[in-house]
């Protein structure tokens, strides 16, 4: 876990274009998302949540933010009692993402971020027929730009399941901020 944290926090920077640095960041998050959430990972759960929150806070690329949210959800499901301290930063992120989020329909009926005018782009990582990640990387277009996490429809779409889960299991932490959170969420979807 400390090696992955170092890669995400110091050795690489958030990228919005598909390149080697972005691929490394995404690969680290994919590895973390595939770790079994058992007793061996329990001592590192808080650190893992902090890494994921860091990815969200630095406004990383859309695929990385989506992976970070999925990892956070799995950690909360597996290690719920010990992770209450990680909830306020997540709620702050939800307020930020829904606070800046406005959508309009573009000419081709896809959703576009209002203030950036940039269409959300997401490439699913995967294997080619020969089973190699390298072949998949070689065949990816090099001019792909990802939406920033705060402007991504996919990131916004991943927040409600985690928010609902947290509100069921940590009502004392959610209820004081519920009015504020619901107001920005409703405003964003209007």
């Amino acid at each position: 876990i400390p090696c992955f944290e170092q890669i995400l926090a110091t050795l690489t920077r958030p990228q919005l274009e598909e390149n080697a640095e972005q691929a490394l960041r995404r690969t680290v998050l994919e590895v973390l998302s595939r770790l079994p959430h058992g007793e061996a990972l329990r001592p590192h759960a808080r650190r893992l949540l902090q890494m994921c929150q860091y990815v969200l806070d630095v406004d990383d690329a859309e695929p990385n933010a989506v992976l970070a949210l999925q990892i956070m959800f799995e950690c909360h499901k597996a290690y719920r009692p010990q992770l209450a301290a990680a909830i306020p930063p997540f709620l702050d992120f939800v307020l930020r993402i829904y606070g800046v989020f406005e959508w309009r329909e573009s000419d081709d009926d896809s959703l576009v971020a209002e203030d950036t005018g940039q269409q959300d782009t997401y490439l699913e990582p995967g294997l080619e027929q020969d089973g190699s990640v390298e072949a998949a990387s070689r065949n990816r277009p090099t001019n792909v730009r990802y939406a920033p996490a705060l402007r991504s429809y996919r990131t916004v779409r991943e927040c409600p399941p985690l928010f609902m889960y947290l509100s069921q299991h940590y009502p004392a932490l959610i209820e004081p901020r519920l009015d504020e959170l619901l107001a920005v969420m409703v405003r964003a979807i209007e």
Side-chain angles (χ1 to χ4, degrees), residues 18-19 123 136-145:
E18 184 61 36
N19 57 30
L123 293 178
S137 298
R138 282 192 306 269
N139 293 334
R140 261 195 200 123
T142 56
N143 60 350
V144 172
R145 275 194 63 77

Side-chain angles (χ1 to χ4, degrees), residues 85-129:
I87 294 172
F90 174 73
L91 296 178
D92 293 339
F93 172 76
V94 170
L95 280 170
R96 267 195 339 269
I97 195 168
Y98 279 96
V100 299
F101 201 76
E102 292 182 27
W103 288 104
R104 64 175 170 79
E105 289 195 35
S106 69
D107 295 334
D108 62 354
D109 293 331
S110 60
L111 292 176
V112 188
E114 183 70 42
D115 53 313
T116 64
Q118 179 181 356
Q119 187 168 351
D120 282 351
T121 307
Y122 179 70
L123 293 178
E124 285 291 334
L127 300 177
E128 290 299 302
Q129 288 180 343

Side-chain angles (χ1 to χ4, degrees), residues 6 8 18 28 41 48 73 83-84 86 124 135 152 171:
Q6 185 177 12
L8 290 173
E18 184 61 36
V28 165
L41 197 57
L48 188 57
F73 194 13
L83 300 176
E124 285 291 334
S152 162

Side-chain angles (χ1 to χ4, degrees), residues 68-84:
L69 286 167
Q70 291 169 351
I71 293 166
M72 291 174 82
F73 194 13
E74 292 303 317
C75 280
H76 278 291
K77 286 194 309 189
Y79 312 114
R80 183 169 38 104
Q82 72 185 43
L83 300 176

Side-chain angles (χ1 to χ4, degrees), residues 54 59 61 64 114 160:
Y54 171 77
D59 205 18
N64 296 350
E114 183 70 42

